[in-house]
Amino acid sequence: MPLTTFHPIWIFRELTGWRGPSGFGSGSTAEQVTAGVDASNLTAIVTGGASGIGEETSRVLALRGAHVIIAARNIDAANSARSRIIDSNPAARIDVLKLDLASIKSVRSFAMNFLSMDLPLNLLINNAGVMFCPYQLSEDGIEMQFATNHIGHFLLTDLLLGKMKSTARETGIEGRIVNLSSIAHSTYIVPGGIRFHAINDESSYYDKTAYGQSKLANILHANELSRRLKEEGANITVNSVHPGLIMTNLVRHSAFYMGFLRVFTFPIWKDVPRGAATTSYVALHPALNGVSGKYFQDCNEREPSDDARDKELARKLWEFSERLVLAEQ
Ligand SMILES: NC(=O)c1ccc[n+]([C@@H]2O[C@H](COP(=O)([O-])OP(=O)(O)OC[C@H]3O[C@@H](n4cnc5c(N)ncnc54)[C@H](OP(=O)(O)O)[C@@H]3O)[C@@H](O)[C@H]2O)c1
């Protein structure tokens, strides 16, 4: 049984970088956890790969030989990230495609564009996200953090799943989907986990719990999809991760709050190379062959919150998300 995030053993490991059962820990970098892995036969999509953890994940996947498609809403930023990666590794295979996860139309058009490229798809890294935004609705009328962090990725994954299944079938290589969640799924909570009845309600909106709810949705989505794929016998795993605390553009709506928080919690903050380690480990490491429906932190399995392990809540969220997406067709 994996230990919870707040178990004293893990707090000790978090603070000291002491490695866990996987042989890696909070001090491991994305390059270290993928050393020796040959990903040259893999194609990956990394959402939000234009900055922060997503850029580092794209760089390291490409360093291991994967063909990486950076899916980004800001094409200039994505092209700059692509140039930085190629400057450090001229052999890197990186393409850029436009994707705005807060727009159902844009997600559909991204999927159409990607599928028209007739590439295989082995890895889908659902990394993009926004945090603690002031109340705002997406162009489809869905609260912005839920729309970007969960609904956009829910639809994107659904639209790309056929391609992932055919790639896995034809190549015999296991497909992997990684959802970037956060420890916030267990610290910024609302009663019942997901406010199905008030998902867009402005009067009761609180930016922190709206983020926590969207990150809980990332885990529930991964778990329910994993269950469905196991039932089908598809050769695709789905897991979720908390990358750690890393000072990135993510804090743009909460620079003062996060800066203040960091003063008291600085020993557990990571730099970006360590922040991309858990995603890269779960995406590429051979030790995780066949491992699905799990939650990882510091490159080791952890037990997420009770809500995150609630199978009924995961089913309910799946049906709710389908209805939201279908309503916008
Ligand atoms: N940093 C942390 O401490 C931390 C902790 C726990 C979890 N996480 C998770 O890790 C993931 C990556 O975060 P990060 O720290 O690397 O932050 P980041 O540097 O801000 O990266 C997030 C990326 O998502 C993109 N994005 C935002 N909204 C989008 C949209 N509507 N459509 C397409 N792309 C969009 C951003 O693009 P723009 O630049 O155009 O906005 C950016 O490239 C997020 O899911 C976050 O929740 C981070």
Side-chain angles (χ1 to χ4, degrees):
M1 185 73 167
L3 302 175
T4 63
T5 286
F6 300 107
H7 194 283
I9 290 181
W10 277 119
I11 294 176
F12 172 76
R13 288 201 152 128
E14 187 90 46
L15 288 168
T16 58
W18 197 277
R19 292 164 187 203
S22 70
F24 303 110
S26 63
S28 306
T29 65
E31 282 200 25
Q32 287 167 346
V33 304
T34 58
V37 175
D38 177 8
S40 57
N41 52 354
L42 304 181
T43 303
I45 291 177
V46 181
T47 70
S51 65
I53 299 166
E55 178 178 344
E56 177 66 359
T57 303
S58 301
R59 184 187 75 78
V60 172
L61 292 184
L63 184 68
R64 301 299 170 224
H67 178 186
V68 178
I69 287 85
I70 293 181
R73 64 175 166 180
N74 181 336
I75 290 296
D76 288 342
N79 279 326
S80 302
R82 179 175 181 273
S83 301
R84 283 191 293 275
I85 295 172
I86 291 177
D87 280 351
S88 69
N89 171 20
R93 292 182 294 155
I94 306 269
D95 284 310
V96 165
L97 266 189
K98 170 97 178 157
L99 167 70
D100 181 353
L101 286 156
S103 157
I104 285 178
K105 199 167 137 210
S106 172
V107 175
R108 290 191 184 283
S109 121
F110 171 88
M112 247 168 54
N113 290 336
F114 174 76
L115 294 174
S116 72
M117 290 164 80
D118 209 19
L119 290 169
L121 184 60
N122 310 91
L123 305 174
L124 174 60
I125 314 293
N126 288 325
N127 161 84
V130 286
M131 181 175 81
F132 302 165
C133 337
Y135 181 81
Q136 205 185 333
L137 292 178
S138 70
E139 69 174 39
D140 307 301
I142 304 168
E143 185 277 309
M144 190 55 92
Q145 299 195 69
F146 194 70
T148 308
N149 299 352
H150 170 60
I151 290 295
H153 283 125
F154 176 83
L155 176 61
L156 179 71
T157 306
D158 187 58
L159 296 173
L160 297 176
L161 207 52
K163 172 56 83 176
M164 290 197 74
K165 284 181 194 172
S166 61
T167 302
R169 237 187 350 259
E170 285 156 20
T171 61
I173 301 171
E174 178 183 270
R176 292 189 183 184
I177 299 172
V178 184
N179 279 6
L180 269 278
S181 176
S182 167
I183 195 170
H185 86 272
S186 60
T187 54
Y188 295 118
I189 51 174
V190 292
I194 307 283
R195 290 166 17 111
F196 294 108
H197 60 290
I199 207 79
N200 297 327
D201 182 40
E202 184 171 4
S203 62
S204 55
Y205 180 77
Y206 176 45
D207 58 356
K208 310 287 183 298
T209 50
Y211 179 69
Q213 167 182 255
S214 73
K215 293 286 125 182
L216 171 65
N218 292 146
I219 304 180
L220 293 169
H221 170 222
N223 291 353
E224 175 64 10
L225 180 57
S226 164
R227 188 190 69 75
R228 287 171 181 242
L229 290 172
K230 275 180 194 164
E231 214 168 79
E232 262 182 60
N235 187 19
I236 301 174
T237 65
V238 197
N239 292 294
S240 43
V241 308
H242 166 58
L245 296 177
I246 307 105
M247 205 38 96
T248 62
N249 293 341
L250 194 70
V251 307
R252 69 181 67 160
H253 298 290
S254 56
F256 179 77
Y257 174 79
M258 295 306 282
F260 186 71
L261 188 71
R262 192 158 79 149
V263 170
F264 300 101
T265 54
F266 71 91
I268 60 168
W269 284 68
K270 294 179 178 178
D271 54 15
V272 171
R274 290 190 293 146
T278 304
T279 306
S280 304
Y281 173 75
V282 174
L284 286 189
H285 204 282
L288 295 191
N289 280 342
V291 174
S292 189
K294 306 292 184 195
Y295 172 74
F296 292 84
Q297 182 176 340
D298 297 334
C299 305
N300 284 278
E301 194 188 334
R302 299 279 180 98
E303 187 173 274
S305 69
D306 289 349
D307 280 343
R309 288 179 287 121
D310 184 333
K311 295 190 172 76
E312 202 39 53
L313 187 61
R315 268 196 203 109
K316 205 169 156 192
L317 174 68
W318 186 280
E319 283 159 19
F320 181 76
S321 308
E322 268 182 341
R323 283 199 298 277
L324 272 184
V325 167
L326 288 177
E328 298 305 327
Q329 267 189 336

